[in-house]
Structures are given as structure tokens and as C-alpha cells.
Amino acid sequence: MFSSPSTPQLQRPGHVRHCKYCLFGLPGTQVGLDASRLAIVFYCIGTLDLLGLLDSGSKPHEREEWRRWIWEQYVVSEHGAGFRPGPFVVTAVDGEDKSRSTNAHDTPHIIMTYTAVISLSILQDDLKRLDKKQLLSFLRSCQREDGSFSTIPGSTDSDLRTTYCAFAIFKMLDDWSGIDIPRAVSYIQRCRSYEGGYGQYPWNEAQGGTTYTALASLYMIPEAVQSSLRPQARLTDVERAQSVRWLVQQQTEAGGFSGRTGKEADACYCFWCSASLDILGAGHLVDESAVIGFMGQCQFKFGGIAKAPGEDAADPYHTYLSLAALSLGTARGATLPDESWKLEPLNPLLNARTSVAEWAQAKMSNAQ
Amino acid sequence: MTTTTTTDLYSDDPQWVDVTPIPQYDGINPVAPILYTDEYKDATDYFRGVLKSGEKSERVLELTERVIRMNPAHYTAWQYRYQTILALGTPLDEEITLMNDIAMDHLKTYQVWHHRRLILTQTKQAAQELAFLVKVLGLDNKNYHTWAYRQWILSHFSDDDLWRHELEFVDSMLRDDIRNNSAWHHRFFVLFEAGVRAGDEDREALARQEILYSKERISLAPNNASAWNYLRGVLDRSGTEYSSLAGFVEPYAGLPGPTASDADTIDTENPAPQPGARLPSVAALEFMADVYEKQGGERLADARKLWTSLAREHDTIRQKYWEYRSTAAGKL
């Protein structure tokens, strides 16, 4: 029986501080994030947003700087437009135009484009600078023969994460034109494993993160398209029961969720697995107090949330996803230890606060 | 194989004097800037210089290697390296040797494995890869990228020689760690997902063989979810009724089996739990509840009894799930 006699408060000021430190600068040991800086920016800004502390935890000029930096990553390439991870391969020097590809490798990146759009929506940017036609042609140029999407144009580096980010953008644009949806769906279905989860590529082991990206993708497809697909994109009753079983099986005695059968609980899978359950209409099956107890132990003493209790460092990725999981729990009516654990509601498909998701959809579907 | 020492800066190297380094443009107010080391800043300044000039040469291979060793997630350095290799006609076996070294240090980086796939698509030297992967899995027997790559090698090149010893390999992985779900998954992939191998044409016999294999492994570790999930996978795939295993499962669920009175006869088809096993096994209770639910009618009450015992006693973290199963039963 799980018991949490003394669940600490959610350390809100500490989590804000952790993310603001990261936005201010990352140590050299984090050089591995050089090619995904925009994603880190998203996790940090998203953390402030889910805590409802964006306005009180940052100054208007800071938010303006974040917004401007994100737009600086917007790049129009020969394959269309989107966002790059950061300036790491920009070869223009001061004064030269950086809004167009500065060399053949300076291209937009699908995952970064998704995180940029959500981040800008958090910052209430009107997204008017987005060129919808160019954005769509970038995404189209990334779809591969097997239906998957590469992260950047012309690459063969593709897996379900990229499909998810592409689908999220189509959904926000409310425009799926020029995309081969049946082929994309068939790729996702090929990633399904006998356990009821999805692997990263066809034939791989079921894993919580890729299961989320698979399910969210399948359930984002517009109703009109859904009904014409054979086999259907959404799960059959038998498949759904099997997936729900596998997902609830990932919640461990420690309270959190593991990413694969038999592995240790990890804070990020509390989001990936419980959001997947939400998508399947089974979010109410999560043991919420066990998740909260687990998160309480994952909080790092200097702020931020670590992947597991006893880890010696927190990071924005685990911090954001933990809070996202708690947001879903709040919305499901979880019994909270105290008010500090109450978070803003989240859209489980787009992984953004509900009103941010609405903002993004409203602005993008009107984009020219 | 090139070697680099990260203390020499390209900016001090006369051999690089003809390349104009390009410092990173980070905007007026960079967000989440990384406090790069001097070595990384130096190498990426020259890498940007090369990106601009389009140079593809031996020294670019050395430069990209240096960048990659400092940041193996630098996907452009990998991509440019690959293009340079193709342009120069660099011997690909040398590249694989170098990659063996880098992979060992960065098992969890996507790009390391993606690059390897690209090289293998050219060399098609798949057999030696399987041996290398055995070594890598020795370092981390559940490494996701490594298993994914092994599955790609087998399915992409799919020749009989490659597959010949795969089942032996899985067996040995499971002997080392009976709870390694990656190995269980791989077993399913090998036998049921990736085509039919010579000797495995009789699918019913294969299913029977794998059901027995699962039973034996369950008798060794009755609370191993991986083995139970595998068993369910085999039953589902072969269309075998769960109820046909009731006699095997009942003792693991702490239920009196139909042959429980014959405790002295050893039933090789249905290995019994070992003395001292932690029973009832949650998975066995779940399995029997599924059997009863399918039988329906009066058996539903038996299913509900098991779900209640799971919810209240044996698997309380999933209390809501078991209650939901109980409520939903008979309604579909």
C-alpha cells in the first residue's frame, strides 16, 4: 500500500529558479544540448506557464527577449520554413541576413518548430510572422517513402517523435494538405508491439514516450479523415484494452511510471504514460496520490525535478514533464496534498496548457 | 583512424590558417546560452567556416570527429561527416572501427546509431555488426538504441545466415537476465514479427514451443511481467484461448488446480511453482480473471473475486484499474 505521510509542498519558487537559471545560461557540461536549445527554452518557459508564474516570475523585457530569440531561429530554406534549434550552424556574420538559410545545413527542424510554436504561444505572440505555405512545404519535404517524417529535410533520421511534432503542427494549422496521412498512419501502426505500446521504429520494444507520440498522433487526425481510413487510425476495442493494460502496468510501486516493462520509474514517464491514458479515455485509472508522492521525492533540493528520487541533478525536461503530468492529475480531480500542487489544466494531445493550445490553434489556423 | 587531442586549438594550427572561423551568432540577448569550453568554441568556429566554404577533405573528417567527441548530438557534424566520407571515398571499415569506439562512449545518443545505419547501408557488412552488438549489450543489456539497431540490421539485410543464431543469442541474453524485457521483446520480434525462418514454418508448433518456453521461465520467476506479457503475445498471435492454460496458471494464482491432488506426478507441460515462490503472482491472478471473464456467465463472479483481491491486497497501486475491470466486465 502506498502511503505518503509527509508529501512536501510543490517547490514552486525552486522550480521557477531552476528554469530561469537555465534560460540565463547552461554550463559547458551541457554542450550536448547545443543542437536542441530551443527545446530547452520550451521546457523552461513551459514550466513557468504550467505553474501559472510566467507573469510574476519574469519581467516583460525578459519575455520580450525570449520571444525575439525564438524568432531569430525562424529560417526560410529552399525546403520551406520553420525553426532551427539555435544558431549552432548559422554561418552569417554580423549584419548579414539570418532569416534565410545561411548554408545548405542551416535548415528548420520539425521538433524544434513544434517547441517554438508552443513557446511563442505561451508568450502570446500573434504568430503573424509564420508563413503557412512555407511551413507546410517544409513539413511535406520531410515526409519519407515509409510515411515517417525526418527531423530535417533530406535526412533519413526519422522516428515517431518527429511524426508527432509534424502532426501537432498540422493540427494547429488545421491544414493537412499535401500530407500522405494513410502512409503516416501505417508507419505508426507498424511501430505497435505485442505488449500494447509502441516502439520508436517498426519492430522495436514498447516504450512510454513513443507510445504517447503514437497515440497522440493517431487521435489528432481530423474526424473527416479518420472515418475514411482503412484500417482505422484509432485503436480497436481490443487494441485499446491492451494498451490501457500496458500503460497502467507501467506504474510501479515507487509511485511513478516506468518507460518499459520491468524498468525503474522515471518522472518523465508519469507524463508520457498518463497522458496516453488520457488520450484513450482512461486517465482516471492513474493512482494520482502515488504519482504526487513520487514527484515529491523527485524534487531536487536546489530546485527543479529530477528523473528519479535520489538523483543528483534536476533538468528542465523532467521538470516540465513532471508538472505536465501533475496538470493532468489536477484536471482529473486528484486529491492534492495542498494547494501548492494545483496546476493549470493541460491539453494532453498538444502538451500545452489548455488556453495556450487554444491560442496556438486560433493563431495558426488563421495564418496566411 | 584519426586521433585528436582536445588541447590543440585550430586557431593555433598553421595547417588551418586558410580557413576563416565563423563565431556563433547568438543574437543580442542569447537565451539558454551554453558556456562552451574553449575547445568546443574553437572547433565549431572552424566547423562553421567549413560549412560555409563547402570543403570536404581529410582534415574535415578530423574536425567533425573532434566536434562529435565533444558533442555527439551535433547532428550537422555527423551529416557533414557522412557527406565528406562519401565525397572522399574514405574506407568505410575504418569508419566503423572508429564508430565502435565512439558508440561505446555514447550509447544513448541517437546520432551515433543513425550514422552507423547510413554506413551499413553502404557496406552491407551486417554479420560483424551482430557480434559488435553482443559486446555493446554486455555494457548495457537494455540499451534501447542498441536493440533497435539490431532489429534494423536483421530486418533490413534479412538473409538467412544473419538470422541463423539469433534465437541462441536471445536465449543467452535471457539466461543472463530473465527479467530483461528488451530480450523478451527481441524474442517475439525474431519468431513472430519478421517473417518466417527455415524450420519455423509450422506456426502452431512454434506457438506450442514458445508457450512451453514461457511457462518454464514463469516457473523460475512467477512475478516477472515480461514473461507473462510475452506469453500473452504468443497466445494472442496464435489465436490460442487463454483458458487452455488455466491448469498451468492456477497454482501461480494460489487457486486449487484441477490436478492439484496429483502433487507427486511431475507434469513437464505445466511446470509447477518452485518452493518458496512469492505467490499468488499478480500476473497469474490477472490471467485467471481474464479466463473467467471470457467464460462469462457465472464465472464473472469468480473474475470479480480475483479483481477485488488484486485491488485490495495484491496490486493496490492499480486498484482503480482492477475496479474498472470489474465494473466493465460483461458490458462489452
Side-chain angles (χ1 to χ4, degrees):
Chain A
M1 185 68 173
F2 184 87
S3 65
S4 53
S6 57
T7 300
Q9 288 208 321
L10 184 65
Q11 302 297 325
R12 292 164 163 262
H15 303 328
V16 169
R17 207 165 50 236
H18 172 69
C19 288
K20 289 200 69 185
Y21 277 147
C22 292
L23 289 168
F24 182 72
L26 298 162
T29 50
Q30 298 295 308
V31 70
L33 302 175
D34 202 19
S36 54
R37 262 172 74 190
L38 195 35
I40 303 308
V41 170
F42 161 64
Y43 293 129
C44 291
I45 297 177
T47 293
L48 301 183
D49 189 50
L50 291 181
L51 289 167
L53 295 173
L54 185 68
D55 288 342
S56 61
S58 66
K59 300 197 169 60
H61 78 88
E62 290 177 302
R63 296 196 291 276
E64 180 57 20
E65 280 168 11
W66 300 340
R67 215 171 58 80
R68 275 172 56 190
W69 185 85
I70 295 169
W71 273 117
E72 258 177 1
Q73 312 320 321
Y74 184 64
V75 56
V76 182
S77 74
E78 58 174 316
H79 307 284
F83 292 80
R84 39 165 107 91
F88 75 129
V89 293
V90 171
T91 49
V93 287
D94 277 340
E96 289 177 353
D97 183 14
K98 296 158 194 79
S99 65
R100 302 201 150 262
S101 288
T102 56
N103 62 72
H105 294 269
D106 180 18
T107 68
H109 184 294
I110 290 189
I111 299 176
M112 299 304 140
T113 302
Y114 158 79
T115 58
V117 167
I118 302 287
S119 303
L120 288 169
S121 299
I122 292 171
L123 297 168
Q124 301 200 317
D125 185 277
D126 62 17
L127 299 174
K128 283 209 170 110
R129 280 185 60 192
L130 271 188
D131 182 329
K132 181 175 177 173
K133 237 173 90 181
Q134 287 274 7
L135 176 55
L136 277 170
S137 67
F138 157 56
L139 295 172
R140 277 182 210 128
S141 76
C142 291
Q143 189 169 24
R144 302 183 58 211
E145 189 65 25
D146 62 7
S148 67
F149 289 80
S150 58
T151 49
I152 51 175
S155 159
T156 51
D157 176 17
S158 62
D159 61 53
L160 284 182
R161 296 170 312 156
T162 325
T163 298
Y164 166 75
C165 292
F167 273 33
I169 299 167
F170 297 135
K171 180 175 170 62
M172 290 186 274
L173 286 170
D174 194 22
D175 189 337
W176 299 69
S177 55
I179 298 304
D180 191 335
I181 298 180
R183 207 181 278 251
V185 166
S186 127
Y187 182 82
I188 297 169
Q189 287 169 339
R190 285 172 56 213
C191 293
R192 189 176 170 89
S193 105
Y194 67 93
E195 290 195 276
Y198 294 75
Q200 190 168 345
Y201 307 100
W203 297 308
N204 291 173
E205 183 184 2
Q207 203 266 11
T210 47
T211 298
Y212 168 81
T213 56
L215 292 173
S217 299
L218 293 175
Y219 285 75
M220 277 194 285
I221 298 167
E223 218 44 69
V225 181
Q226 285 274 9
S227 57
S228 66
L229 290 174
R230 295 290 176 278
Q232 65 184 48
R234 293 190 180 172
L235 273 51
T236 64
D237 287 344
V238 171
E239 287 171 333
R240 179 184 171 278
Q242 195 193 25
S243 293
V244 168
R245 173 188 180 272
W246 180 78
L247 287 162
V248 297
Q249 198 180 60
Q250 301 314 307
Q251 190 163 21
T252 76
E253 289 300 316
F257 282 77
S258 60
R260 293 184 257 161
T261 302
K263 299 264 287 181
E264 300 282 314
D266 174 327
C268 73
Y269 294 112
C270 293
F271 175 76
W272 301 127
C273 293
S274 75
S276 297
L277 284 166
D278 262 336
I279 292 167
L280 295 177
H284 60 286
L285 303 180
V286 175
D287 185 331
E288 307 286 358
S289 54
V291 170
I292 291 171
F294 178 75
M295 293 294 180
Q297 293 175 46
C298 290
Q299 296 193 98
F300 188 53
K301 57 188 167 185
F302 302 123
I305 299 175
K307 74 174 192 170
E311 290 283 315
D312 58 5
D315 60 80
Y317 169 82
H318 286 94
T319 304
Y320 174 81
L321 289 171
S322 299
L323 296 179
L326 294 169
S327 294
L328 296 175
T330 305
R332 291 183 208 116
T335 309
L336 306 174
D338 60 66
E339 277 295 295
S340 71
W341 290 88
K342 191 171 175 202
L343 290 158
E344 301 284 325
L346 186 92
N347 178 320
L349 288 174
L350 290 175
N351 187 7
R353 193 161 57 83
T354 308
S355 57
V356 167
E358 283 164 6
W359 175 283
Q361 287 176 274
K363 300 296 173 192
M364 287 184 69
S365 57
N366 281 325
Q368 299 293 310
Chain B
M1 185 161 85
T2 49
T3 52
T4 56
T5 52
T6 49
T7 47
D8 310 328
L9 299 180
Y10 290 111
S11 54
D12 296 333
D13 188 340
Q15 290 180 21
W16 283 82
V17 74
D18 56 318
V19 174
T20 310
I22 300 176
Q24 175 164 289
Y25 173 82
D26 224 334
I28 302 157
N29 288 297
V31 181
I34 297 166
L35 308 174
Y36 303 122
T37 59
D38 290 342
E39 288 82 7
Y40 187 76
K41 202 183 285 186
D42 172 72
T44 51
D45 286 354
Y46 279 80
F47 180 61
R48 280 182 289 270
V50 164
L51 279 180
K52 188 164 190 175
S53 70
E55 174 179 335
K56 295 197 166 74
S57 62
E58 285 296 333
R59 68 177 181 179
V60 166
L61 290 181
E62 188 214 298
L63 170 65
T64 52
E65 182 188 338
R66 190 184 289 192
V67 172
I68 284 163
R69 282 189 184 275
M70 288 186 275
N71 174 13
H74 195 304
Y75 63 82
T76 313
W78 284 107
Q79 196 180 36
Y80 201 78
R81 178 178 184 84
Y82 182 63
Q83 292 173 357
T84 305
I85 286 169
L86 294 188
L88 298 180
T90 307
L92 296 174
D93 53 334
E94 284 179 22
E95 183 67 3
I96 284 293
T97 309
L98 174 63
M99 284 308 120
N100 289 352
D101 179 39
I102 293 183
M104 294 289 205
D105 291 338
H106 303 287
L107 288 183
K108 292 192 173 175
T109 307
Y110 284 90
Q111 283 76 20
V112 171
W113 297 101
H114 178 60
H115 184 71
R116 213 175 168 100
R117 282 189 197 206
L118 291 175
I119 301 291
L120 257 290
T121 310
Q122 301 287 328
T123 65
K124 303 181 171 55
Q125 301 291 316
Q128 64 200 44
E129 290 300 277
L130 297 184
F132 168 69
L133 295 176
V134 171
K135 216 159 76 183
V136 176
L137 289 170
L139 299 175
D140 177 0
N141 69 355
K142 297 180 184 176
N143 184 271
Y144 199 85
H145 297 296
T146 312
W147 284 105
Y149 179 72
R150 192 171 183 100
Q151 283 140 18
W152 176 78
I153 286 282
L154 288 162
S155 53
H156 186 82
F157 296 102
S158 200
D159 75 60
D160 286 347
D161 281 345
L162 271 186
W163 285 95
R164 202 170 312 265
H165 301 292
E166 204 55 15
L167 199 56
E168 280 168 47
F169 159 73
V170 185
D171 267 339
S172 78
M173 292 301 290
L174 286 172
R175 260 199 309 278
D176 290 347
D177 180 0
I178 199 171
R179 290 184 170 77
N180 183 350
N181 196 61
S182 303
W184 281 101
H185 172 86
H186 193 69
R187 188 175 185 93
F188 198 86
F189 160 76
V190 169
L191 294 174
F192 296 100
E193 299 269 56
V196 177
R197 309 285 134 221
D200 287 344
E201 292 88 350
D202 184 347
R203 305 309 277 172
E204 279 180 31
L206 178 69
R208 279 198 303 276
Q209 166 202 308
E210 288 310 293
I211 289 167
L212 184 58
Y213 183 88
S214 313
K215 287 175 175 176
E216 287 166 355
R217 298 304 169 289
I218 287 170
S219 80
L220 296 173
N223 293 291
N224 176 14
S226 298
W228 286 97
N229 284 358
Y230 180 81
L231 174 62
R232 282 169 173 267
V234 176
L235 297 178
D236 293 345
R237 187 58 60 97
S238 61
T240 308
E241 288 292 339
Y242 282 29
S243 58
S244 67
L245 269 77
F248 164 71
V249 178
E250 277 162 346
Y252 292 89
L255 299 168
T259 56
S261 54
D262 301 328
D264 292 340
T265 40
I266 294 171
D267 180 355
T268 51
E269 283 287 312
N270 292 306
Q274 310 228 323
R278 190 161 57 86
L279 296 175
S281 143
V282 166
L285 291 169
E286 179 192 22
F287 192 98
M288 288 313 299
D290 283 351
V291 170
Y292 297 149
E293 182 187 30
K294 182 92 187 278
Q295 289 168 341
E298 289 176 9
R299 295 321 291 269
L300 271 186
D302 294 324
R304 291 210 168 88
K305 226 159 78 186
L306 295 185
W307 285 323
T308 302
S309 80
L310 284 164
R312 294 196 184 154
E313 191 182 351
H314 301 297
D315 193 37
T316 52
I317 195 142
R318 269 164 284 282
Q319 181 188 350
K320 291 179 189 169
Y321 175 68
W322 302 122
E323 288 171 356
Y324 151 78
R325 289 294 304 274
S326 188
T327 312
K331 285 184 187 163
L332 279 178

